Amino acid sequence: MRLILLLCCCILLLSCSREQSETFADIVLLDAKIVTMDSLQPRAEAIALLGGLIAAVGGNDEISALIGDSTTVLHLDGKLVIPGFIESHGHFMSLGRSKMRLELQGVSTWEEIVGMVRAAAARADSGEWISGRGWHQEKWLQAPVPQVEGLPINT
C-alpha cells in the first residue's frame, strides 16, 4: 500500500513540473456581450481564440490570463458578439432545396437517370414528387432511344 501511495505522489509531482510551457491566445476579445449558445453558460464578457478556434470563454479577468506578448487584444466596449457563419453570398433556401433533389450532374446515360429515379421512387411516399437537376445530355455517352421530339422517354 505504501508503495502505491509513493508512486502516486511521484507521478503527481512530476506532472506539476514548472517546465511546462504556457499557451497564450492569438486573439482575445474583452468587455463584450457574448452570446455563447451554451445552456450552461449562455452569456460571457470575454473570449480567447487560439489557432482559429475558441480556446476559452468567460469573464474578463479569467480570459486576460491568456494574454501574451503576441496576443491581439480587442476591447469591444459592450458590443455584441454572436456565433455565426462567414459567407460571402448564398441562397440558403435554394441550397436546401437542391439537397432534396436528385443530383444528375455526373450521369453519363439516360439509363443511369432512370435507375436513380427508380431508387428514389422506392423510398418515396405515395404521391411524393421526385425532382432532379443538373443533367447534361450533350455529355452522355450516347443519345437515348426511344425519344419523342428529341426528349428521352422511359418505357
Side-chain angles (χ1 to χ4, degrees), residues 1-146:
M1 181 68 174
R2 287 183 183 174
L3 180 60
I4 293 173
L5 183 59
L6 180 62
L7 284 173
C8 288
C9 288
C10 288
I11 291 170
L12 182 62
L13 287 172
L14 289 173
S15 68
C16 294
S17 169
R18 290 180 185 232
E19 295 177 19
Q20 291 178 339
S21 64
E22 291 189 52
T23 302
F24 295 110
D26 298 324
I27 300 171
V28 166
L29 308 178
L30 296 172
D31 305 315
K33 292 179 185 172
I34 299 171
V35 177
T36 67
M37 305 304 290
D38 180 354
S39 61
L40 299 176
Q41 182 185 14
R43 302 271 189 267
E45 62 182 350
I47 188 167
L49 305 170
L50 178 63
L53 299 174
I54 296 172
V57 177
N60 285 330
D61 293 338
E62 175 187 358
I63 301 303
S64 290
L66 301 174
I67 297 173
D69 293 338
S70 61
T71 303
T72 300
V73 179
L74 301 172
H75 294 274
L76 298 184
D77 299 319
K79 291 186 174 73
L80 181 64
V81 175
I82 59 172
F85 298 104
I86 298 173
E87 194 271 334
S88 62
H89 179 83
H91 299 267
F92 291 109
M93 294 299 289
S94 296
L95 176 63
R97 279 194 231 57
S98 75
K99 298 300 181 187
M100 297 170 64
R101 297 182 190 132
L102 297 177
E103 181 53 60
L104 306 173
Q105 207 164 24
V107 301
S108 56
T109 67
W110 173 248
E111 290 74 24
E112 192 175 346
I113 292 175
V114 171
M116 292 172 74
V117 171
R118 185 175 287 120
R123 294 186 306 267
D125 292 332
S126 178
E128 182 180 339
W129 281 76
I130 298 168
S131 61
R133 68 169 306 278
W135 90 38
H136 199 302
Q137 67 270 15
E138 284 81 24
K139 294 183 178 182
W140 289 351
L141 299 175
Q142 62 189 17
V145 176

